Amino acid sequence: MSTQPREYELDELYRDLILDHYRQPRNHAPLAHPTCASEGENPLCGDQVAVQIELADGTLADIGFSGRGCSISQASTSMMTECVKGKPLAEVRELIDQFKAMMLQDAEPTPQLGDLESLQGVRKFPVRVKCATLAWNVLERLLQANAQGGTA
Ligand code: ZN
């Protein structure tokens, strides 16, 4: 029996999901016709993400990202893009609220969050919560800026 300590004490299945998204990030490409773009960084950990979105008819028609940093930050961004892509903006805002409630307020993950529930174990590590929420804050700012008719 191995008693090696784990980096995050995450469930095996969850850890595999996170590493899968980290190694093969989804929607990891620039968009042809982005409506707007913004980026964020988490200096505590050295994470950076840049997010592009394309809005059309009240939906988040497309989303792409680039970035570098720890597995939590990049996997969370990849999972986020899969979760919100093609959804009506009202629904995207709900998903942002649900994810932040899970990470910051110990709320149970909703079924809509899908694979993102794998990140709930991270909330035991306050420094890592910033890694997981980084891209979500960027997306939230983009939507807010757009709702006000400005650019982020
Ligand atoms: Zn990080």
Side-chain angles (χ1 to χ4, degrees):
M1 289 290 286
S2 166
T3 52
Q4 279 188 331
R6 292 178 179 176
E7 191 181 356
Y8 301 121
E9 296 179 19
L10 296 177
D11 182 282
E12 291 285 342
L13 171 71
Y14 285 171
R15 222 170 36 148
D16 287 350
L17 259 174
I18 290 168
L19 287 176
D20 180 57
H21 276 267
Y22 176 58
R23 290 174 181 145
Q24 299 177 58
R26 321 301 199 263
N27 302 300
H28 195 261
L31 300 186
H33 306 287
T35 307
C36 52
S38 188
E39 49 190 66
E41 60 178 4
N42 176 21
L44 281 176
C45 185
D47 309 317
Q48 297 180 330
V49 295
V51 178
Q52 291 184 320
I53 60 173
E54 181 180 344
L55 304 174
D57 300 327
T59 69
L60 184 54
D62 207 356
I63 181 166
F65 83 99
S66 62
R68 59 167 184 252
C70 70
S71 59
I72 299 294
S73 67
Q74 303 304 307
S76 181
T77 312
S78 172
M79 289 180 190
M80 176 187 83
T81 63
E82 276 202 321
C83 186
V84 301
K85 189 172 172 175
K87 300 263 166 68
L89 293 183
E91 211 174 306
V92 173
R93 290 193 183 91
E94 275 174 32
L95 289 164
I96 294 171
D97 288 345
Q98 290 169 10
F99 181 75
K100 288 179 124 182
M102 178 180 86
M103 295 309 298
L104 302 170
Q105 292 150 24
D106 279 353
E108 284 302 306
T110 60
Q112 291 92 324
L113 288 175
D115 287 355
L116 286 156
E117 73 170 343
S118 62
L119 291 166
Q120 66 180 306
V122 174
R123 65 191 177 197
K124 286 181 289 188
F125 307 91
V127 173
R128 292 290 178 171
V129 168
K130 288 188 166 62
C131 305
T133 55
L134 174 62
W136 295 79
N137 289 327
V138 173
L139 179 61
E140 190 171 40
R141 279 204 310 272
L142 276 172
L143 295 183
Q144 282 170 356
N146 230 273
Q148 291 154 13
T151 51

